[in-house]
Amino acid sequence: MSKIFMQISRLFLGIIFLVAGINGYFVIFGFEPFIATSPEAMALFEFEYLLIAEKSLEVICGILLIINQFTPLAIAILSPIVANIFLLHLFLDHSLLILAVMLVLTHGYLLFYYRKNFMSILERKSKPSQ
């Protein structure tokens, strides 16, 4: 059961970030986005290179999650993005707070599921590889 829930969580996050990243490229190139964007979020991207960098990471990580390759790396890269999305919708724009909470819960579950991949990062005194 937990493996099925992990697959659903991985695909959910992958699809959400792939679609959000592609939607961001519509904004970057001056087209009308196919999903409404938060004006508060767009105000934070005063410099276009930040939007390009974030949306590129979202597309890459979304693809990695969908094809199930480098999943722990994609989860690690998406961690600050998920935190930023959650905090933005918690404090500035409450319109998509439910989606932000779902992202946090899903991302948290994947972090828990892949926790053994991250344990070596938390070592107090690491041993150099030989």
Side-chain angles (χ1 to χ4, degrees):
M1 181 67 176
S2 83
K3 185 166 176 113
I4 293 171
F5 191 64
M6 183 276 299
Q7 298 288 347
I8 293 169
S9 299
R10 183 180 52 76
L11 288 173
F12 172 74
L13 272 185
I15 291 169
I16 290 292
F17 280 109
L18 180 61
V19 170
I22 292 170
N23 192 51
Y25 275 109
F26 275 74
V27 173
I28 291 167
F29 293 125
F31 300 119
E32 190 66 30
F34 55 90
I35 298 173
T37 57
S38 167
E40 288 84 359
M42 297 318 295
L44 293 175
F45 292 110
E46 184 178 323
F47 305 106
E48 194 170 284
Y49 74 92
L50 290 173
L51 185 61
I52 293 169
E54 181 178 347
K55 295 305 174 183
S56 297
L57 286 173
E58 287 180 7
V59 168
I60 291 167
C61 291
I63 291 170
L64 289 175
L65 288 171
I66 290 170
I67 65 172
N68 199 18
Q69 297 292 313
F70 301 105
T71 302
L73 176 64
I75 294 168
I77 291 171
L78 289 174
S79 292
I81 296 173
V82 169
N84 187 37
I85 291 169
F86 176 70
L87 293 173
L88 175 103
H89 289 292
L90 183 64
F91 293 115
L92 294 177
D93 180 18
H94 302 294
S95 63
L96 294 175
L97 184 59
I98 293 173
L99 179 62
V101 168
M102 288 174 53
L103 285 176
V104 167
L105 293 174
T106 307
H107 186 264
Y109 179 75
L110 287 176
L111 277 170
F112 178 75
Y113 189 86
Y114 287 99
R115 67 189 175 276
K116 291 181 182 172
N117 296 86
F118 300 109
M119 293 309 287
S120 62
I121 297 172
L122 301 174
E123 290 179 4
R124 180 170 253 192
K125 292 190 176 194
S126 60
K127 301 169 197 129
S129 57
Q130 304 259 341

